[in-house]
Amino acid sequence: MKANKTLGYEYIKGFWETNPVLKQVLGMCPTLAVTVSVMNGLAMALATTFVLVFSSLLISSIRKLIPNQVRIAAFIVVIATFVTIADLVMKAQFPDLSKALGPFVPLIVVNCIILGRAEAFASKNSPFRSFLDALGNGTGFLIVLVVMGGIRELIGSRTLLGYQILPNGFEPWLIMILPAGAFLTLGLLMGLANFYVDKKKRSEREELIQKYRKSQNDVEVKGQEA
Amino acid sequence: METTTVNPTYKLELTSSPHVHSRWSTKQAMWFVVIALIPALISAVIFFGQYQLLIILTSVVFCIGTEYLIKKIRKRKVTVTDGSAVITGLLLGLILPPNFSLSSTAIGAVFAIAVGKEIFGGLGYNIFNPALVGRAFLQAAFPVAITTWTKPNFAVDTVTSATPLAAYKFDKVFTSIQPMFFGNIGGSLGETSALAILIGGIFLIAVGVVNYRVPLAMILGMILFAGIFWVIDPVKYPNPLFQIFAGGFLFGTFFMATDWVTSPITSKGMWIFGLGIALLVVVIRIFGGLPEGVMYAILIMNSVVPIINRYTYPKIFGEAK
Amino acid sequence: MIFMNHTKSFKGGVHPQEQKELTENLSFEVMPNPKQLIIPLTQHLGKPAKPVVKKGSEVKTGEIIAEQDGFISAPVHSPVSGKVSKITVGSTVTGFPKDAIVIESNDVNDIVLMPSLDPGKVSPEEIRERVKLAGIVGQGGAAFPTYVKLSPPADKKIEIVIINGCECEPYLTRDYRYMVERTNDLIIGLRLIMKAVGVNKGAIGIENNKPEAINKLKEAVKNYPDISIEVLETKYPQGAEKMLIKAVTGKEVPPGKLPFDVGAVIQNIGTAIAIYDAVVKGEPQLTAALTVSGLGINQPKNLIVRVGTPLADLLDYCGGVKESAVKVVVGGPMMGVAQYDFSAPVMKATSGILVLTENEINDHEETPCLRCGKCVDVCPLNLIPTKLARLSSLEKFEDAEQLGITVCMECGTCTYTCPANLPLVQWIRFGKQRVMALQRERESA
Amino acid sequence: MDLLLIFLSAAIVNNFVLSLFLGICPFLGVSNKTSSAISMGMAVTFVMVLTAIVSWILYFIVLVPFKLEFLQIPSFILVIASLVQFVEMVIKKVSQPLYRALGIFLPLITTNCAILGLALLLSMREYSLLQSIIFGLGAGAGFTMALFIMAGIREELELTDVPKPFRGVPITLITAGLLALAFMGFAGMI
Amino acid sequence: MEEILIEEGIVVCRENGIAEVEVFPAQSCEECSAKIFCKPDKDDRNVLRVNNSIGANVGDNVRIEIKGKSVLAASFNLYGIPLIILLIGIFLGTSIFSEYKLVELYSAFFGIGLTAIYYLFFLSHNKNRQNQILPKIVFIKRNS
Amino acid sequence: MKKVIHMIATLTIIGIVAGGLLSEVNNWAYPLIVANQKAETEKAIFLVQPNGKSYEAVKSPEIEIYKVFDENKNLVGYSLVSAGNGFQGKVKIMTGLNKDLSEIEMIEILEQVETPGLGTKITEEPFKDQFKGLQTLPQINWVKGKAPEHPNEIQTITGATISSKSVVAIINSGLQKARELKDKGAL
Amino acid sequence: MELTIIIAIATMGGLGFIFASGLAFADKKLRVEENPLIGKVNDVLPNANCGGCGSAGCYDFAVKVVDGKALPTGCPVGGEETAITIAEILGVETGTAIKMVPKILCRGGNSEAVKKMTEYYGPISCKAMALVSGGDKLCFYGCLGGGDCVEACPFGAMIMNENELPEVIEEICTGCGICVKACPRNIIEMHPADRNVFVFCKNQDDPKRSKEVCSVACIGCGICARKSDGGIEMVNNLGIINYDKLDDSKIPFEKCSTGAIQKIGGRNIPVN
């Protein structure tokens, strides 16, 4: 079943179908914590994607060498190494950003997305597929973080990427950049995503029912003729 | 004399027992609460002017509107006539500061109903008191606007616009009890006049809408906990009477904490709930950064109501003691 | 706790509008025999009786037409003389159809009685045997065969016999009329029960809204120091077994246990009278005394009718139903069963027929539960009705079992009080059935 | 007083779950049984205190003197993992039945970001060992409290008519949001 | 009200009064985002030791219950008491080793040592009591 | 046994490789990070001492304080770092002081975790500017809801009274220590 | 700098060594052998944990299949594709998966069944209605029309039609059988999708009452049974079909006065 999925699908599925945050409910901590602005969300997502892609690639290529029992442990070390690299690079090159993200860059280690993908995908698939999968999941993560950051920044401080968007007459809702706002925004966002999926499912079912009704009528008509 | 045959031509009802019901209905209880809020409403207009009616009206209209809209979207029976949205609107309006902006009021009202109530499934399912959710939201969203107080209409010179609690917290000034009793002080619309609140509250207890346990527990708890601090240092800490009459304590006692939905269902639970609120109010007022703590105290206790309920289920009749 | 009540009672309960004044002062009237009687074979709790007559058999009044089948069962006697026209499935007042013997009455008055016994000399065994033969079932509602209750297990020490004179259900005045009209027979009946179970302490519990009955009974027991009249607070469900025992003796019957376990035997007023009739007059249970009341009936009455009389005949006799009637209930308004078929017959344990109008029912719009806790306050068994009902409707039976759903006696106080007008009892009954089925399954496994 | 402040800050004012967003995964996945919430909380608190001790020693006795701060992340996570593994083994050795009943919490804890977050925070804030322990204790207490309250609320939520798209994680998040809103009342206590 | 946790599973082995039951992942496990760590690999199955007083056989589908109080008691024994001992040990340690330079380090080891002793002590004692707080099989399903 | 060796070897090798790799990366990054931190401190020091051109750290176990000199190596004042608890957590402030510690040049908030949009106003100009030229003797005071009347008073931010008060308290306590140091002649 | 690198390598290597040793030790002690096939089979299963296979969840089913206690075709939700994949994993022959579908064996909807003279008020749910004198209809065996089965269906494969009878949309139906459990009246039965003769009634009353309560009830006349050569048996006034012996050409469908026994469709329902 898995073999016939196209390479494109491995990439694209992470956007929506198996979106790490909205569908797999992974990586909630950074999603909630760093999305006070688009910039933070973007930086966090990029750092995570970096770690995700490289660790997936590496794990997938050495997957056959690692004994099953130390699998998770080995993954953790690999991931931790890449996280440290990301952390050091950030501190060296983008000190401001590193400060804004606080301890959440090191915490990428325990981001369930990375370990989850490593465990569920990279340890079973070829490096190229794992690469695409990781990139797709990273992008999905990025989409959510940017949307979250966008909503919170726009309403919470009426700016986007630091530029004022909403007029001065709009009083910013400070709650959006507080922890409570993060929970509420993500909750509503996930609810909305589910709502959309539900609606699609419902309309599909409606269609089937319509078809069933029609076929039912056909039978009745035939029955009357006979 | 009206007579018919043995089997009437129309349909009789077939229901499960019992076949008679008490006169109590949700709707009736809700409208009693609305009536009980009228004195506070009047005092708000007397002390802060007619503009306040507009705030309350906005709040009520947006509450009803949101509830109507959500019920329509969810294709559920529209239940705005049960009065619960009206109460939420009134309560929210009455705990806002005078001359609060109408647009913010509307946002708070929408939030109170949508997130405080309907997202949990509507009336009866909410965990937190919707009006307080709305108010806490506004407090977090517009912290400056919501702590901007205006002087009451009959302000004597000595009375500043600051609420008695803020005056105590930041300037160590105690307001005397008499203006606090009548409501001639700064504060939220409905919260200033202890007299008006007491009239409404006692009415609710008298007609049986509100159980006496929660208010009694809260007031006794306040006397106890505030008393402990007062005895320790009467200069630094305010006396219990001041604590009871100041801020939103009385309003919270009679109208917020007694909300059926968000208070415990067991009688033991109600005592714990009331005492818990009183303790938290004292702690937040004395140690916290905010002068007022009733709203947060009630919200926090709301969140532990399921746990209180679970651990205070009464012993089943006949079970070993 | 704060408002200690000096009248003996229990915690919780409600006080619905009594409506007893409709029939309180009307003495029993004997209703003429109807043309056709439908006599269900299951008029008691337990196994159905086994018919001993066939289609076309001629029967006499008092003759056994179906015999006891098994330990918990009761024989059925023909209430009239006539001919068996068929044995078929017929509606019953319990709401579910049961096998029944249909008898065409022939208006001949030949009654077969058992020999009369002297209440002073009769032995406990004789009393029990007589009660069993007479097919007497409890008049309290559950219709438990009475002889079983008179034979407590040997290891249970019985201390007191309590006669339930509370009649806490609104409208019903049957027990009240019995107490007023047949005071002395009642006392003899009680003494017979005390003899049968071998105790020398008897009590009659009466709510304090029946002063005349209290006076008469107090007068009648003057010479019996072993019988006391306990005046109790007027409150529903004062007449429930557990509540009555609590009020009279102060003991609580543990969940899943019977009154036996706290040394008490409870009998209804009607049962005591029936025992008197069976022992002293030798008459099996052929009639039911009942109250026909409610604002929807034209002539409220206290009646003595033959078992098997269809409701239709009975309502006709009471002048028919008013246009404003919306519900016909057999039993009391709190625990009775709404009727859909008026061909259903009166049974041995039927205590009343109520025709209710909209005004009395006080039905209002159903809203979600507001967790006001009123049901918790009034539940006499200290349960959490709202939670139990919700758990049952969501089929979370394990949780419901944990919270003691099987203890519920379906007294209806919670639904009566509920401001949201939720059908709590209906859901709890559903959950209770399923939980009990689960428990049975577990035991068998 | 300093220690009390650290404790209160970690437990209530800057609650790990409600304002630092650490340990969200178990918080969202928490069962609706209050007793398992407390058990889990106790296990986490215990491991947190141990982690505080061990990572403090590791950081200030080993990494800092040897200028190895950059190994913080991998070494912390390895040490925590070994620690949990060790506790697991000890418990198993000591009490097989209890391990079977409660051991399942432990692997969950290994990768709980609250634990690593605790280790990182205490090194960032340069707490002393005693302060670190109190910090761990406070964080554990706060985590347990949040878990406990949420378990109670979830039990209630199971019986409600939450709109279908919001059932499960979304309503938990929203409830957490309102809880965070309520806990803002404690702001300013430190 | 007493809280009771219910699990269902299949008996994998039994020995005088004790059985091992493999527990099926509950429905709620599906929602849990931590599920990947719950069973690090599929080989490590979720097996519980339970009291088998009703005599379930290997292969039976059973329901097991554990009292909330027992879970609490067990976790208190397992985590609560060690935690307290650890803390006491450290505070004691700070006063005992107050003259040394690395007070904190020594006291930490002291606390951990005390905790280890507790665990070892725990090992040799109250085995029986432990069996009492085990979950127990309450119901065998014979549908399949 | 072979399996065990395999397991241990794998993990050890991964650990060694990781360790090596990380130290290489660190070798590259460490100087940059140190430089960043230094630049940041420097920036702050000169921000609160606009006339400063060079500085020198004062060695003191109690406080972090820098002597700031102008282009002629004349002492123009001090840059004092003080920290304490704000509304929600630690607040770290750099204060520029004149030579005899009696007047503030300017302040800069280095670290804070105050309520966004409210407590964070302490980092904004209107609040910080109040400290320009503020008298520090006998100590700084705050007033609420009205314009300051004395040269050593500032007005608190509406809705963020506690944060404003904390800033004042933190600076006061830092000043206290600095004065003690000066009295000892260490400055 | 050299020293740092060495120490770093030593630290990390050492930590890795310690951890791995711990794991190896734990592994030796903890090991529970399990057939790796179980995991593979479990991966193929839909993991809806609906219980339609009669096992408690998908993992349980996987264990059973690997042990040979269940057939690869046992998962009704996964259908043929899953069955084939499982068979491949296990290296066994698959039987043909026969799709089971629920049949609603009552046709007494609003227009056919005789209603009581009273009207039911209360929760609209079969399980609640069944408690109150059995709902609105006089028949004590038929569909209550409360829609519990529709509510219960996790796949949305059932609808209530205008006549207030449930209908199964077999294209969506997965044959999990949850609706069967939901019905308090037991009128839903699972049948292979290709069966087309059913007695659409469960009424066991005597013929007279059956006739009174519903116009489409089986009144127990027994005509079909007499002609069926043992394919139909009369039990308690109700025709019960023995599908093994049934020869539908012998059944006089037109003789059934109420149309309780019927041959349906002739439609070919695809197995998905």
Side-chain angles (χ1 to χ4, degrees), chain G residues 201-220:
Chain G
C201 187
K202 287 274 183 182
N203 192 330
Q204 302 180 357
D205 276 343
D206 63 46
K208 186 162 176 280
R209 192 175 148 87
S210 306
K211 243 185 238 172
E212 274 170 14
V213 299
C214 181
S215 62
V216 291
C218 170
I219 54 170

Short mmCIF file of all heavy atoms in Angstrom, two decimals, chain G residues 201-220:
data_model
loop_
_atom_site.label_atom_id
_atom_site.label_comp_id
_atom_site.label_asym_id
_atom_site.label_seq_id
_atom_site.Cartn_x
_atom_site.Cartn_y
_atom_site.Cartn_z
N CYS G 201 -40.05 -8.91 9.48
CA CYS G 201 -40.90 -8.74 10.66
C CYS G 201 -40.35 -9.58 11.78
O CYS G 201 -39.72 -10.61 11.57
CB CYS G 201 -42.34 -9.15 10.36
SG CYS G 201 -43.44 -8.75 11.73
N LYS G 202 -40.57 -9.12 13.01
CA LYS G 202 -40.11 -9.87 14.18
C LYS G 202 -41.27 -10.12 15.14
O LYS G 202 -41.07 -10.49 16.29
CB LYS G 202 -39.03 -9.05 14.90
CG LYS G 202 -37.72 -9.01 14.18
CD LYS G 202 -36.90 -10.20 14.55
CE LYS G 202 -35.55 -10.13 13.88
NZ LYS G 202 -34.75 -11.32 14.21
N ASN G 203 -42.46 -9.85 14.68
CA ASN G 203 -43.62 -9.91 15.58
C ASN G 203 -43.97 -11.35 15.92
O ASN G 203 -44.27 -12.15 15.04
CB ASN G 203 -44.81 -9.21 14.92
CG ASN G 203 -45.93 -8.98 15.90
OD1 ASN G 203 -46.09 -9.75 16.84
ND2 ASN G 203 -46.68 -7.92 15.68
N GLN G 204 -43.96 -11.68 17.21
CA GLN G 204 -44.28 -13.04 17.62
C GLN G 204 -45.66 -13.14 18.25
O GLN G 204 -46.00 -14.14 18.87
CB GLN G 204 -43.22 -13.54 18.61
CG GLN G 204 -41.84 -13.51 18.03
CD GLN G 204 -40.79 -14.00 18.99
OE1 GLN G 204 -41.09 -14.32 20.13
NE2 GLN G 204 -39.56 -14.09 18.51
N ASP G 205 -46.45 -12.09 18.15
CA ASP G 205 -47.80 -12.12 18.73
C ASP G 205 -48.66 -13.12 18.00
O ASP G 205 -48.32 -13.58 16.91
CB ASP G 205 -48.44 -10.73 18.59
CG ASP G 205 -48.00 -9.83 19.71
OD1 ASP G 205 -47.51 -10.34 20.72
OD2 ASP G 205 -48.13 -8.60 19.55
N ASP G 206 -49.82 -13.40 18.59
CA ASP G 206 -50.71 -14.29 17.85
C ASP G 206 -51.26 -13.55 16.65
O ASP G 206 -51.25 -12.32 16.60
CB ASP G 206 -51.79 -14.88 18.76
CG ASP G 206 -52.69 -13.82 19.32
OD1 ASP G 206 -53.13 -12.94 18.55
OD2 ASP G 206 -52.95 -13.85 20.54
N PRO G 207 -51.69 -14.30 15.64
CA PRO G 207 -52.03 -13.70 14.35
C PRO G 207 -52.99 -12.53 14.47
O PRO G 207 -52.83 -11.51 13.82
CB PRO G 207 -52.69 -14.86 13.60
CG PRO G 207 -52.09 -16.07 14.20
CD PRO G 207 -51.82 -15.76 15.62
N LYS G 208 -53.97 -12.67 15.40
CA LYS G 208 -54.99 -11.63 15.47
C LYS G 208 -54.36 -10.30 15.87
O LYS G 208 -54.57 -9.27 15.24
CB LYS G 208 -56.06 -12.03 16.48
CG LYS G 208 -57.22 -11.08 16.52
CD LYS G 208 -58.43 -11.69 17.16
CE LYS G 208 -59.52 -10.65 17.25
NZ LYS G 208 -59.33 -9.73 18.38
N ARG G 209 -53.55 -10.35 16.93
CA ARG G 209 -52.94 -9.12 17.40
C ARG G 209 -51.97 -8.57 16.36
O ARG G 209 -51.92 -7.36 16.12
CB ARG G 209 -52.21 -9.37 18.73
CG ARG G 209 -51.82 -8.05 19.39
CD ARG G 209 -51.21 -8.20 20.74
NE ARG G 209 -50.24 -7.11 20.93
CZ ARG G 209 -50.58 -5.90 21.40
NH1 ARG G 209 -51.82 -5.65 21.75
NH2 ARG G 209 -49.66 -4.96 21.50
N SER G 210 -51.19 -9.47 15.75
CA SER G 210 -50.26 -9.00 14.73
C SER G 210 -51.00 -8.20 13.67
O SER G 210 -50.55 -7.13 13.25
CB SER G 210 -49.58 -10.18 14.03
OG SER G 210 -48.99 -11.00 14.99
N LYS G 211 -52.13 -8.74 13.25
CA LYS G 211 -52.90 -8.06 12.21
C LYS G 211 -53.37 -6.70 12.69
O LYS G 211 -53.40 -5.73 11.96
CB LYS G 211 -54.12 -8.92 11.85
CG LYS G 211 -54.10 -9.39 10.40
CD LYS G 211 -55.38 -10.14 10.09
CE LYS G 211 -55.08 -11.54 9.63
NZ LYS G 211 -56.26 -12.40 9.48
N GLU G 212 -53.76 -6.67 13.99
CA GLU G 212 -54.28 -5.42 14.54
C GLU G 212 -53.21 -4.33 14.60
O GLU G 212 -53.51 -3.17 14.38
CB GLU G 212 -54.80 -5.65 15.97
CG GLU G 212 -56.23 -6.12 16.02
CD GLU G 212 -56.59 -6.55 17.43
OE1 GLU G 212 -55.83 -6.24 18.37
OE2 GLU G 212 -57.63 -7.20 17.58
N VAL G 213 -51.99 -4.73 14.94
CA VAL G 213 -51.00 -3.69 15.23
C VAL G 213 -50.25 -3.19 14.02
O VAL G 213 -49.65 -2.13 14.05
CB VAL G 213 -49.97 -4.14 16.28
CG1 VAL G 213 -50.64 -4.48 17.59
CG2 VAL G 213 -49.15 -5.31 15.78
N CYS G 214 -50.26 -3.93 12.89
CA CYS G 214 -49.43 -3.50 11.78
C CYS G 214 -49.94 -4.12 10.48
O CYS G 214 -50.35 -5.28 10.45
CB CYS G 214 -47.97 -3.94 12.03
SG CYS G 214 -46.82 -3.44 10.76
N SER G 215 -49.90 -3.36 9.43
CA SER G 215 -50.42 -3.86 8.17
C SER G 215 -49.38 -4.64 7.38
O SER G 215 -49.71 -5.26 6.39
CB SER G 215 -50.95 -2.69 7.32
OG SER G 215 -49.88 -1.82 7.03
N VAL G 216 -48.13 -4.60 7.81
CA VAL G 216 -47.12 -5.35 7.07
C VAL G 216 -46.44 -6.39 7.95
O VAL G 216 -45.33 -6.81 7.68
CB VAL G 216 -46.05 -4.41 6.46
CG1 VAL G 216 -46.63 -3.57 5.35
CG2 VAL G 216 -45.44 -3.53 7.53
N ALA G 217 -47.11 -6.81 9.02
CA ALA G 217 -46.50 -7.76 9.94
C ALA G 217 -46.57 -9.17 9.38
O ALA G 217 -47.39 -9.48 8.51
CB ALA G 217 -47.22 -7.72 11.28
N CYS G 218 -45.70 -10.03 9.87
CA CYS G 218 -45.86 -11.45 9.59
C CYS G 218 -46.94 -11.93 10.54
O CYS G 218 -46.79 -11.85 11.76
CB CYS G 218 -44.56 -12.20 9.87
SG CYS G 218 -44.77 -13.98 9.82
N ILE G 219 -48.05 -12.44 9.98
CA ILE G 219 -49.16 -12.80 10.86
C ILE G 219 -49.13 -14.29 11.19
O ILE G 219 -50.05 -14.83 11.75
CB ILE G 219 -50.50 -12.41 10.22
CG1 ILE G 219 -50.60 -13.00 8.83
CG2 ILE G 219 -50.64 -10.90 10.20
CD1 ILE G 219 -51.97 -12.88 8.23
N GLY G 220 -48.05 -14.92 10.81
CA GLY G 220 -47.87 -16.31 11.20
C GLY G 220 -48.81 -17.28 10.51
O GLY G 220 -49.18 -18.31 11.08
#
